[in-house]
Amino acid sequence: MKKVSVILLAVAGLLALGWWGYRSQRVAPGAAVEITEARSPAAAARPGGAAASRPGGSAAAGPVGVEVAQAAAMAMADEVQAVGTLKANESVVVRPEIAGRIVAIGFSDGARVARGALLVSLDASVLAAQAEQARAELALAQTSFERTRDLAGRQFVSGSALDQAAATLKVQQARLSLAEAQLAKTRIRAPFGGVLGLRNVSVGEVVKDGAELVMLEDVSSMKVDLRLPERFLGQLRPGQSIGVEVDAFPGKSFLATLDALDAQVDANGRSVLARGRLANPDGALRSGMFAKARIVLREKPQATVVPEEAILPVGADSFIFRIEDGKALRVAVRTGLRRDGRVEILDGVRPGDTVVVAGHQRLTRDAMAVRVVDAGAAQEAAPGPGPASGPAAGAAARGG
C-alpha cells in the first residue's frame, strides 16, 4: 500500500509540473512589460517616459482650437408678447325700436354709409295718421286757450277755466310729440359712419321690435384687446408701442398704441386686459381677427450682445470665455434681454471683446492657450500660437 501511495504522489507531482509549464508557454514574454506600463501612470508621466516618447501624447498637445465671435453693441427692446382679438372702433347691430312691415331698404350688403344715412323704412301710414290727428287736436287746444285767455282778461271767465285750457294745450302738445317720435322710428338711420354687414331681412317682411336688421361697424380704426400677465402691470403705460401681426397678411406688421388698461386683474388667470388702438384707413382689418402682438416696455439703444452659444450656464450662474492674449479667460456675466439668437450682457463683456462660441468642452481650466479655428477678423483678435508650435510650422521651418 505504501508503494502505491508513493507512485500516486509522484504521478500527481508530474501532472502539476506539466500544467505549470503549459501555462508559462501561453503567456508572451512582453505581456508583463505592457501590464506594468498600464499600471504605472507615474512612470509614464516622467520625462522620457512612454507617454512623452509617443507621438500625440499630452506633453506634445498644443493650444486648444475654438471658434469665436465679437461682442457687439446694438439696439434692443424689452418687450412682451401676447395674443388677442381685433375689434372695430364702434360696432352695433341695427334693430328697430317698434314693430312694423319693411317697405324699403336703403343699402346694399357690405356698403359704406355715412352717419344719418337711411337704412330701413317701415310702414308709417298708421303712425302718420295718428300724428296728423294729434296735430289737429293741438291746433284746437291752442285756439281754445287763446280765447279763454282773452275772456279771462276781460273778467268773463274764472282763473280756473284759464288754467284748465292751458293744461289741455300742454297735453295736446305732448301727444303730438309722442306721435311724431313714433313716426320717426319707422325710418331707421345709421347712428355713425361705417361699413355694413349682410342684411338679414327683405322688403315686405314684418319685423318685431329688437329684430336684427344688419351689422354696422366703424372700421376706420381698430381696437386690439390683449391679456397680459399681471407681473407686467407695473411696466405698462398708455402710449407704448404695440406691433400687431395678423394671419391674413403674413409678413406685414401694423403699429398700434396702448390706449387703456382694465380697472381690475382677472383673479382666475392672474392677467390684466390691455387695449390698444391702430389706424385702419383702407379697411383691410376686420373685427374678430386673431392678432399676435408685441408690446415694447423699454428700449436700449446701445446694448452689449453676444451669440447665445457663447453663454455657459453653471447652475444659476452664467459664464463666458473671453479671449485675451491668446488665452481663454473664464468670466462671470449677468445676462439681460434675449432676441433673435443674441443675449444682452449687463457686465463682464464690452463691445469688441472676442468670446468663445464653440469648443467650451475642451477648456478644462481658466486661462488655457487657445487658437482660433474660424477665419476672418475674429482670428486676428485671438491669434494662435507662434510659428514653431504647430506641426505645419515645424515642417515649413525644416524647408518642406
Side-chain angles (χ1 to χ4, degrees):
M1 291 298 294
K2 291 182 179 181
K3 186 176 181 179
V4 175
S5 300
V6 172
I7 292 173
L8 291 176
L9 289 174
V11 172
L14 291 174
L15 291 175
L17 183 59
W19 175 254
W20 177 83
Y22 172 74
R23 291 292 297 172
S24 61
Q25 288 178 0
R26 292 193 60 185
V27 178
V33 178
E34 295 295 333
I35 295 173
T36 304
E37 290 181 0
R39 296 184 180 181
S40 303
R46 288 197 299 268
S53 62
R54 290 195 300 269
S58 60
V64 176
V66 294
E67 297 180 13
V68 299
Q70 298 285 343
M74 63 177 292
M76 295 193 73
D78 187 7
E79 58 186 31
V80 57
Q81 298 185 0
V83 295
T85 305
L86 291 182
K87 295 183 178 180
N89 181 43
E90 300 290 347
S91 179
V92 65
V93 177
V94 179
R95 307 171 188 267
E97 296 184 49
I98 60 175
R101 179 174 57 85
I102 296 177
V103 295
I105 296 178
F107 67 92
S108 57
D109 294 345
R112 185 179 293 271
V113 296
R115 179 180 180 181
L118 181 61
L119 303 180
V120 177
S121 297
L122 301 179
D123 182 14
S125 56
V126 175
L127 295 178
Q130 292 177 353
E132 190 63 28
Q133 179 183 358
R135 196 172 290 110
E137 291 176 351
L138 176 62
L140 179 62
Q142 180 71 33
T143 302
S144 177
F145 172 73
E146 291 176 353
R147 184 181 298 111
T148 303
R149 183 176 57 182
D150 182 60
L151 293 175
R154 290 183 292 174
Q155 302 294 325
F156 289 138
V157 295
S158 62
S160 61
L162 180 61
D163 294 341
Q164 184 177 359
T168 301
L169 177 61
K170 291 183 178 180
V171 169
Q172 294 303 325
Q173 289 175 341
R175 287 179 177 176
L176 177 60
S177 298
L178 177 61
E180 290 178 342
Q182 290 178 335
L183 180 61
K185 293 182 184 302
T186 62
R187 300 173 66 83
I188 304 169
R189 301 180 180 273
F192 51 83
V195 178
L196 294 168
L198 306 180
R199 61 187 175 95
N200 301 317
V201 292
S202 301
V203 175
E205 184 175 351
V206 177
V207 294
K208 297 181 179 179
D209 54 326
E212 295 185 3
L213 301 181
V214 67
M215 172 74 73
L216 174 63
E217 291 194 334
D218 175 16
V219 294
S220 60
S221 63
M222 303 295 292
K223 297 180 287 190
V224 53
D225 289 348
L226 309 168
R227 285 207 170 271
L228 303 173
E230 64 174 342
R231 67 176 181 275
F232 296 110
L233 185 59
Q235 305 178 57
L236 296 174
R237 297 288 184 275
Q240 289 174 327
S241 299
I242 306 177
V244 179
E245 296 180 356
V246 295
D247 294 338
F249 302 98
K252 185 176 181 180
S253 180
F254 300 86
L255 181 61
T257 303
L258 184 61
D259 187 54
L261 299 172
D262 199 0
Q264 61 181 356
V265 174
D266 183 10
N268 295 325
R270 301 300 176 187
S271 59
V272 60
L273 183 63
R275 172 168 291 175
R277 291 187 181 272
L278 64 157
N280 186 33
D282 56 355
L285 301 177
R286 300 298 177 92
S287 294
M289 280 185 169
F290 175 77
K292 294 174 286 187
R294 295 179 293 105
I295 301 179
V296 179
L297 303 178
R298 56 190 175 121
E299 295 183 354
K300 294 185 177 182
Q302 292 292 326
T304 302
V305 297
V306 299
E308 286 185 345
E309 296 82 2
I311 306 298
L312 184 64
V314 180
D317 301 325
S318 296
F319 295 88
I320 279 181
F321 280 100
R322 188 178 63 208
I323 305 299
E324 289 186 8
D325 299 328
K327 296 183 178 181
L329 304 180
R330 191 168 185 253
V331 180
V333 295
R334 290 192 304 117
T335 60
L337 305 177
R338 293 177 180 262
R339 192 79 66 245
D340 300 329
R342 294 188 174 271
V343 182
E344 178 192 13
I345 303 299
L346 301 178
D347 56 23
V349 174
R350 294 178 297 179
D353 288 348
T354 304
V355 297
V356 176
V357 295
H360 301 89
Q361 67 277 9
R362 294 190 290 271
L363 301 176
T364 57
R365 65 177 186 276
D366 193 14
M368 287 187 65
V370 296
R371 58 183 178 86
V372 178
V373 297
D374 54 341
Q379 188 169 4
E380 298 176 4
S389 60
R398 289 191 300 269

